[in-house]
Amino acid sequence: MSNYIKSNQKNKEFLESNEEKLLKYIDKKGEYYLNIFKGPKNKTNFCALFLGPLWMGYRRMYFETFIVGCCVALLGFLAMMYEFFSFKVISNSTIRGLNYALMGLMGFFGNYIYFLSLKRRITKGDEKIGILYGFILGVLMPMAIAGVAGIILMLLLGE
């Protein structure tokens, strides 16, 4: 598997010209991630694979955390629809498979997504925001959205 960062000329130039800024934004494990970004091929990120949105929130990828959290909430919502309301358009095993696929994609492309997030933040000049904000935005908010939608559906479709 080739390195997605080095294969794109714009990403390669950005990496070479912004090493100090990347180290500043990465904070802990800066050298580790720079070596991965510069390496000959991508590596699987096991934290992203198993912890997903929590890892993204820790690494201050708030927009990405929100998107993944909404996908997980949507899959949970579909599972609830299947279980409680006999929603047979999509099966429970398909929902589970989609959840595993999402986890796999985050694990295999986690470092690349992290690089793109860092690139966006450096280009736009975003400041560091606390991990609590990432947790609220990426984990609690999608759960709340799914919960409210579930309650509304139960009230509308209830007996």
Side-chain angles (χ1 to χ4, degrees), residues 23 29-37 43-45 111:
L23 284 172
K29 290 192 169 188
E31 291 295 328
Y32 171 78
Y33 279 105
L34 275 181
N35 289 335
I36 289 175
F37 296 157
K43 292 185 179 180
T44 301
N45 189 321
N111 293 324

Side-chain angles (χ1 to χ4, degrees), residues 22-30 33 37 59 114 118:
L22 284 168
L23 284 172
K24 176 186 159 198
Y25 272 85
I26 294 172
D27 239 0
K28 298 176 184 174
K29 290 192 169 188
Y33 279 105
F37 296 157
R59 287 284 162 200
Y114 187 35
L118 289 168

Side-chain angles (χ1 to χ4, degrees), residues 75-92:
L75 291 173
F77 181 72
L78 287 174
M80 183 186 73
M81 293 286 292
Y82 178 81
E83 191 67 34
F84 294 118
F85 302 114
S86 301
F87 185 68
K88 303 292 184 198
V89 173
I90 188 167
S91 71
N92 208 13

Side-chain angles (χ1 to χ4, degrees), residues 65-130:
T65 306
F66 180 72
I67 297 298
V68 170
C70 285
C71 290
V72 169
L74 176 67
L75 291 173
F77 181 72
L78 287 174
M80 183 186 73
M81 293 286 292
Y82 178 81
E83 191 67 34
F84 294 118
F85 302 114
S86 301
F87 185 68
K88 303 292 184 198
V89 173
I90 188 167
S91 71
N92 208 13
S93 59
T94 304
I95 295 168
R96 198 173 313 118
L98 289 171
N99 201 7
Y100 292 145
L102 180 64
M103 287 172 54
L105 287 172
M106 286 190 324
F108 292 119
F109 296 107
N111 293 324
Y112 183 60
I113 294 168
Y114 187 35
F115 173 77
L116 293 177
S117 174
L118 289 168
K119 182 178 174 183
R120 186 188 76 239
R121 286 192 306 192
I122 290 171
T123 305
K124 290 184 176 182
D126 291 350
E127 291 298 317
K128 296 179 183 179
I129 304 173

